[in-house]
Amino acid sequence: MDLDKLMNKHLTRYFDPSKTIPEETLQQLLRFLRSTPSSVNVQPNHFYVLAAPEGKERLANNPGERFQDNGEKVLNASHTIIPHHPGRCV
């Protein structure tokens, strides 16, 4: 995975549900995300990765007030990555 390309890409508005992130690419991305700085400088960071339709449906149906428009994106993306914040319920 070319991280320079990743960092210079624009965010997508829609996901193609027929495409899936290859496992090797997903693992590289997660290694990168784990090492990124956090607001309280606690690394490694931890994430929930949703790939199963049931988990994505549960999140899409309960996105929280700020993210109500993201249900379709969650369902169509091959994976949804959510940061884990210790001490907070997801």
Side-chain angles (χ1 to χ4, degrees), residues 35-77:
S35 66
T36 58
S38 67
S39 61
V40 292
N41 202 26
V42 176
Q43 289 87 16
N45 292 308
H46 299 274
F47 301 89
Y48 295 102
V49 179
L50 303 176
E54 300 83 13
K56 293 190 301 181
E57 284 175 25
R58 186 172 171 192
L59 177 63
N61 291 330
N62 300 289
E65 191 175 309
R66 291 179 43 206
F67 303 103
Q68 290 180 354
D69 296 333
N70 290 331
E72 183 179 353
K73 291 178 188 179
V74 169
L75 294 173
N76 288 337

Side-chain angles (χ1 to χ4, degrees):
M1 173 172 45
D2 184 350
L3 290 179
D4 288 331
K5 254 186 179 177
L6 178 66
M7 299 305 290
N8 292 316
K9 287 278 185 179
H10 293 285
L11 298 176
T12 187
R13 292 189 182 271
Y14 304 99
F15 294 100
D16 182 346
S18 69
K19 294 184 178 182
T20 302
I21 297 172
E23 186 62 28
E24 181 181 331
T25 302
L26 177 65
Q27 293 306 317
Q28 285 180 317
L29 177 60
L30 290 172
R31 279 194 300 276
F32 173 74
L33 289 173
R34 280 188 206 99
S35 66
T36 58
S38 67
S39 61
V40 292
N41 202 26
V42 176
Q43 289 87 16
N45 292 308
H46 299 274
F47 301 89
Y48 295 102
V49 179
L50 303 176
E54 300 83 13
K56 293 190 301 181
E57 284 175 25
R58 186 172 171 192
L59 177 63
N61 291 330
N62 300 289
E65 191 175 309
R66 291 179 43 206
F67 303 103
Q68 290 180 354
D69 296 333
N70 290 331
E72 183 179 353
K73 291 178 188 179
V74 169
L75 294 173
N76 288 337
S78 69
H79 297 78
T80 299
I81 301 172
I82 306 167
H84 173 258
H85 300 286
R88 289 176 141 181
C89 294
V90 176

